[in-house]
Amino acid sequence: QTLDPRLRREAQLRREFRLPILARVPRASRAESGRPLMPAKASPVIGEAYRTLRATLTRPRPEDGRSPGRVILVTGSSPSEGKTTSAISLASSLALVGKRVLLIEADLRRPVMGKIFDVQPEGSGVVSVLIDRVDLADSLVQTEQYGPNLQLLLAEPSYQGGWITELFSGNRANRLLDEARELADYVIIDSPPLNEVVDALPLAGAADDLLLVARLRRSRMDKLHELGELLAENA
């Protein structure tokens, strides 16, 4: 491990963190890898893995029903581990079974979802909602593939860096999620790697569930430990 700090086996995750493994997603083909995948372009075995994840996360629990909508934040310890693909695939899978889903792009520094879904914010997005320029409901966009069951709150490409990195702090994040809960059965947040970009850390504390994505032979154990310590202290 000193010579190669990368995650090599699932047993390392179980031993070090003692968290449940919710799904095992096979590696994409070389032609598919390198950027987030739309579910339609993923292989059948990858699609089945995300259906397993959906079934696991939607299993009834004693606390279900206490809030209008359930918030799930998806993150990882480093870029290119599959968190955005996982957020998109989970949201799409929920929408296909009739759930109302709101997918929030919280990675304000590297927005990619508009390009992936081939849509753009209609004049407003995450930043505009957080600074009270527009209402959340008026900033959502739909896709042809999923219709009204899946709505997107995209990060505007025109706002990057600088002052926007503080927008998720304070009451703004809580207010955004409270409004999102009223509009959807599930709110999926695509977060940046929190131990590298802490912008969205307040959202982790307000979410109902944290979905941590790790990738064999790419994720580093030291980065995973840093993320675990950060979440233990702040979420």
Side-chain angles (χ1 to χ4, degrees):
Q1 190 169 345
T2 301
L3 296 175
D4 186 358
R6 289 176 294 177
L7 173 65
R8 288 289 181 179
R9 296 175 301 279
E10 180 181 313
Q12 291 175 276
L13 289 176
R14 293 184 177 278
R15 182 177 65 249
E16 298 289 337
F17 302 103
R18 300 186 180 182
L19 292 173
I21 306 297
L22 302 180
R24 299 166 180 84
V25 181
R27 174 181 287 186
S29 68
R30 185 168 298 178
E32 296 171 332
S33 63
R35 65 177 186 174
L37 282 177
M38 281 293 289
K41 296 183 178 180
S43 67
V45 290
I46 291 177
E48 186 62 32
Y50 283 113
R51 285 191 287 273
T52 299
L53 177 62
R54 179 190 69 200
T56 303
L57 289 174
T58 57
R59 186 179 303 151
R61 298 182 301 181
E63 66 270 24
D64 285 351
R66 295 182 185 177
S67 60
R70 186 162 154 199
V71 177
I72 302 172
L73 183 136
V74 184
T75 191
S77 62
S78 299
S80 303
E81 291 178 330
K83 66 170 186 63
T84 298
T85 293
S86 296
I88 291 172
S89 298
L90 175 60
S92 303
S93 183
L94 288 165
L96 287 174
V97 294
K99 301 297 183 182
R100 297 175 302 150
V101 184
L102 201 165
L103 177 58
I104 298 177
E105 184 174 32
D107 195 343
L108 302 181
R109 305 191 193 206
R110 299 197 311 167
V112 296
M113 283 196 181
K115 185 177 295 185
I116 294 170
F117 281 97
D118 195 25
V119 294
Q120 291 299 324
E122 297 179 357
S124 60
V126 176
V127 174
S128 299
V129 174
L130 289 171
I131 61 177
D132 295 326
R133 281 183 50 197
V134 292
D135 293 332
L136 173 60
D138 296 330
S139 302
L140 303 177
V141 296
Q142 298 179 14
T143 65
E144 293 183 4
Q145 303 99 310
Y146 301 99
N149 279 354
L150 177 58
Q151 300 193 81
L152 313 175
L153 181 63
L154 301 174
E156 302 100 314
S158 56
Y159 294 110
Q160 293 189 36
W163 56 275
I164 69 166
T165 60
E166 305 296 330
L167 285 179
F168 288 121
S169 60
N171 294 325
R172 292 188 179 100
N174 291 330
R175 187 169 65 248
L176 171 64
L177 294 187
D178 287 343
E179 294 176 6
R181 290 177 191 274
E182 298 291 341
L183 297 174
D185 301 313
Y186 289 90
V187 180
I188 311 298
I189 303 172
D190 179 35
S191 162
L194 293 176
N195 52 328
E196 295 194 358
V197 180
V198 298
D199 305 352
L201 186 58
L203 296 178
D208 299 304
D209 298 286
L210 296 178
L211 179 63
L212 307 180
V213 179
R215 185 173 176 182
L216 291 175
R217 292 177 290 279
R218 179 177 289 272
S219 299
R220 292 170 55 100
M221 292 301 296
D222 56 342
K223 294 289 186 180
L224 288 168
H225 277 291
E226 288 176 12
L227 178 59
E229 292 170 1
L230 182 68
L231 292 173
E233 294 172 359
N234 296 279

